[in-house]
Amino acid sequence: MADRFPSPFEIATPSGAEGWQQLYTYSSLFCDERREYEDGGFWFHDGVHWPEALTPWDTTFLEFAIASLSQYNTRHYMIPPAYGVDYRILNGYVYLSPVPAPEEEIESRVPLFMERAGFYFANWDRLYDDWLVKIRDLVKQMNELRIEPLPAMEDIEVITSGAGQGSGNQLLATYHRLLDLALTLWQYHFEFLNLGYAAYLDFFGFCKAAFPSIPDLAIAKMVAGVDVDLFRPDDELKNLARLAVSSGIDDRFTGADVAALWEKLGADDAGRAWIVQWEKAAEPWFNFSTGSGFYHSDKIWIENIEVPIGYITDYIAKVKEGVDLNRPVAALHADRDRVVAEYRELFDTDDDRAAFDAKLGLSRTVFPYVENHNFYVEHWAHSVLWRKMRELGGVLVTAGFIPEADDVFMFKRSELSEVLWDMYAGWAVGAPSRGPGYWPAEIQRRHGIHKALKGWSPPPALGVPPEVVTEPFTVMLWGITSDSVSAWLNAGEGSEDGTLSGFAASPGLVEGLARVISSADQVGEIQDGEILVAPLTAPSWAPVFGKIKATVTDVGGMMSHAAIVCREYGLPAVTGTAFGTKTIKTGQRIRVDGNSGTVTVID
């Protein structure tokens, strides 16, 4: 077995992707200036958030996210054992490397963390209510940004109002304002998230110390059964399906495309009333990405309404069959309370039970944010940002700089400021800009590079692995463990008996036929009673959970969105198998044991 992963400096450029480095920020690349540090570190591919090759502008959210995460660890809350997470882009793919706090600093950081985190924990409800106000106001500000083509002549009101500035200045300022809001968004994102994980990890560590043999899943069960806004989009679909049946308009959803369906619904009062309820639900809840929310190419429900309409149609059929569409909250609570009672009884002293109760109570208080933020940031806010960027792309199309609005994502974030300046200067002077003669061919070249990068298969890790993976976020969120690192080094694809191992993410034991998919575009292929096998799942896939028996993913730990959502829907799941989609084929019969974290290919 190899003792290290490939060096990032040894990885070849895919054929057709020569010059790919020009698509990304210079500081995000592996480089000779940092070679000793980079080649001696451990870097893992983040397939949880960025499984595919990024386009240039889409790296904006990567850079904003990781910098914001890191500053809260390192500079705000002074997390004792951890600094931030370093990041690099290699052949268009994201690699991360957790940075530990120096051993000599850990002890001095503890009281600082207790003071700062303690303030948030003591005032969590008030601060979280304030957070919701802040995030909604930020989305409102983004929505209100006006992005319009530069006029042939400024309106007379620009003169008579004494504005002292024109449309060109406004367009440049608007783009910069959009970037400012995007960075502020990610600052808000991590205001609570790291603390939410920290509280759970504190409870997790307490339980492990008290009960060394306690399964990770048992600890996760104790905080299950939460009511979070991330499930609201799916709940709205179910409500619309129930309304269609109760209003007697359910037959209109059979076999109709969206345009034909809307025409049928608009024909009478019942149908029009249903549309009113649709519109109430759609904003904001259908600003929901079919993917992770980090790619402009992911479909958004509110912009591709055939996606939610398809889910509603499936739910209508289940309503008519008498199926209960509700999440099994009562059963989750009963199981949760049973597990809590069993372990609480094992403590020897009242003080130990009081400490257990306090840590569990804090975990349950903060845990909803771990999921709620995902809707407000990665889905709702990102949906608005993608739309604003496409509006900006439309302006550049009108000016002849790019052929299609989506080509705007082939510019780097800082590069786009230069492009807008070129357009503005030409407009201001009344002379040709360089862009229309330069950018169309360059954009075409970049599309070719990106296509070549998408066809490359990134290695799971680079560099020198740690002897033992102990960093808790790496284990809990990304699912990187000593066992998975060992499997990667061995290039293993399961055991000889056809068994894969991963995280026991959600309890249950089932057998069924596998449905292997690689992207959200294939979700429609899933049939009733199948077992979903995918690189990862997205929260917006929840409507298919009523069709499948279980879920298996390549990536993700106990606290990944896939694991949490599966637990909340009562769906057996094994996450972080590493090789599930490479080992299992559609149509094979498999056994998923969400209690032990194993997946077995039966035939």
Side-chain angles (χ1 to χ4, degrees), residues 182-241:
L183 180 55
T184 301
L185 172 73
W186 277 96
Q187 302 280 293
Y188 289 170
H189 177 286
F190 285 105
E191 180 185 359
F192 286 84
L193 185 60
N194 296 10
L195 294 179
Y197 281 129
Y200 178 77
L201 289 168
D202 179 54
F203 175 63
F204 182 89
F206 179 84
C207 291
K208 284 291 187 180
F211 314 110
S213 63
I214 186 173
D216 293 359
L217 183 56
I219 303 173
K221 282 182 179 180
M222 295 188 205
V223 297
V226 296
D227 182 19
V228 296
D229 289 343
L230 187 66
F231 304 141
R232 183 71 179 272
D234 187 36
D235 290 340
E236 293 293 344
L237 297 181
K238 294 171 181 176
N239 290 336
L240 288 166

Side-chain angles (χ1 to χ4, degrees), residues 121 124 128 192-193 195-201 203 219-228 231 360-373 558-560 563-565 567-568:
F121 291 147
W124 188 272
Y128 180 54
F192 286 84
L193 185 60
L195 294 179
Y197 281 129
Y200 178 77
L201 289 168
F203 175 63
I219 303 173
K221 282 182 179 180
M222 295 188 205
V223 297
V226 296
D227 182 19
V228 296
F231 304 141
L360 173 59
L362 179 61
S363 292
R364 288 182 178 175
T365 295
V366 305
F367 195 73
Y369 180 83
V370 173
E371 286 301 282
N372 268 353
H373 79 276
M558 286 294 295
M559 288 295 107
S560 65
I564 294 171
V565 172
R567 285 196 294 273
E568 293 301 322

Side-chain angles (χ1 to χ4, degrees), residues 229-439:
D229 289 343
L230 187 66
F231 304 141
R232 183 71 179 272
D234 187 36
D235 290 340
E236 293 293 344
L237 297 181
K238 294 171 181 176
N239 290 336
L240 288 166
R242 295 183 184 107
L243 179 61
V245 174
S246 65
S247 300
I249 59 173
D250 51 279
D251 59 327
R252 304 179 196 183
F253 288 79
T254 303
D257 61 30
V258 170
L261 172 62
W262 244 246
E263 184 177 351
K264 292 178 181 178
L265 293 173
D268 59 22
D269 289 344
R272 288 190 291 270
W274 189 92
I275 291 176
V276 169
Q277 294 306 311
W278 161 278
E279 292 172 345
K280 287 181 179 179
E283 191 59 62
W285 303 113
F286 294 169
N287 285 282
F288 212 34
S289 170
T290 57
S292 65
F294 285 104
Y295 293 85
H296 77 269
S297 54
D298 290 339
K299 291 182 178 179
I300 309 298
W301 283 9
I302 202 169
E303 300 167 16
N304 300 269
I305 62 175
E306 72 279 0
V307 175
I309 288 296
Y311 292 143
I312 290 171
T313 302
D314 288 343
Y315 277 145
I316 286 173
K318 291 187 178 298
V319 170
K320 294 171 72 173
E321 292 169 4
V323 175
D324 182 4
L325 301 183
N326 295 315
R327 289 190 299 120
V329 176
L332 288 171
H333 284 176
D335 196 33
R336 178 187 73 182
D337 295 343
R338 176 188 60 78
V339 173
V340 168
E342 288 176 357
Y343 281 96
R344 191 177 185 278
E345 185 65 26
L346 297 177
F347 286 106
D348 294 327
T349 69
D350 289 341
D351 287 345
D352 287 340
R353 276 187 284 274
F356 173 82
D357 292 343
K359 292 178 185 294
L360 173 59
L362 179 61
S363 292
R364 288 182 178 175
T365 295
V366 305
F367 195 73
Y369 180 83
V370 173
E371 286 301 282
N372 268 353
H373 79 276
N374 189 251
F375 171 75
Y376 289 101
V377 178
E378 286 97 319
H379 291 274
W380 186 15
H382 277 199
S383 296
V384 175
L385 280 159
W386 298 133
R387 286 197 285 273
K388 290 300 174 182
M389 284 296 297
R390 287 189 172 92
E391 290 177 18
L392 195 58
V395 170
L396 291 171
V397 169
T398 300
F401 277 63
I402 53 178
E404 304 288 342
D406 270 21
D407 290 335
V408 72
F409 299 107
M410 283 296 165
F411 295 116
K412 288 184 284 189
R413 177 177 71 254
S414 58
E415 189 177 56
L416 187 51
S417 293
E418 298 180 19
V419 173
L420 293 173
W421 178 264
D422 179 22
M423 181 181 67
Y424 160 65
W427 169 84
V429 174
S433 298
R434 185 185 179 190
Y438 176 81
W439 282 114

Side-chain angles (χ1 to χ4, degrees), residues 373-582:
H373 79 276
N374 189 251
F375 171 75
Y376 289 101
V377 178
E378 286 97 319
H379 291 274
W380 186 15
H382 277 199
S383 296
V384 175
L385 280 159
W386 298 133
R387 286 197 285 273
K388 290 300 174 182
M389 284 296 297
R390 287 189 172 92
E391 290 177 18
L392 195 58
V395 170
L396 291 171
V397 169
T398 300
F401 277 63
I402 53 178
E404 304 288 342
D406 270 21
D407 290 335
V408 72
F409 299 107
M410 283 296 165
F411 295 116
K412 288 184 284 189
R413 177 177 71 254
S414 58
E415 189 177 56
L416 187 51
S417 293
E418 298 180 19
V419 173
L420 293 173
W421 178 264
D422 179 22
M423 181 181 67
Y424 160 65
W427 169 84
V429 174
S433 298
R434 185 185 179 190
Y438 176 81
W439 282 114
E442 174 61 14
I443 293 297
Q444 184 177 7
R445 183 184 77 89
R446 293 184 181 190
H447 276 299
I449 290 173
H450 184 246
K451 182 177 180 180
L453 295 177
K454 288 182 69 175
W456 184 65
S457 180
L462 303 166
V464 181
E467 292 185 10
V468 180
V469 179
T470 58
E471 201 285 313
F473 290 107
T474 305
V475 176
M476 288 288 180
L477 178 57
W478 285 288
I480 311 298
T481 66
S482 299
D483 288 341
S484 62
V485 169
S486 178
W488 292 342
L489 284 169
N490 199 34
E493 299 188 359
S495 63
E496 293 182 359
D497 64 356
T499 299
L500 291 163
S501 296
F503 286 90
S506 185
L509 174 65
V510 297
E511 292 183 8
L513 300 181
R515 171 67 61 175
V516 182
I517 68 173
S518 59
S519 72
D521 291 339
Q522 296 176 279
V523 168
E525 300 173 8
I526 299 170
Q527 303 298 310
D528 282 339
E530 292 184 325
I531 295 174
L532 172 62
V533 182
L536 73 163
T537 65
S540 58
W541 295 14
V544 305
F545 286 178
K547 300 174 67 173
I548 60 179
K549 288 185 173 181
T551 295
V552 177
T553 69
D554 291 343
V555 298
M558 286 294 295
M559 288 295 107
S560 65
H561 291 300
I564 294 171
V565 172
C566 286
R567 285 196 294 273
E568 293 301 322
Y569 277 80
L571 188 71
V574 177
T575 61
T577 63
F579 304 103
T581 57
K582 295 180 180 179

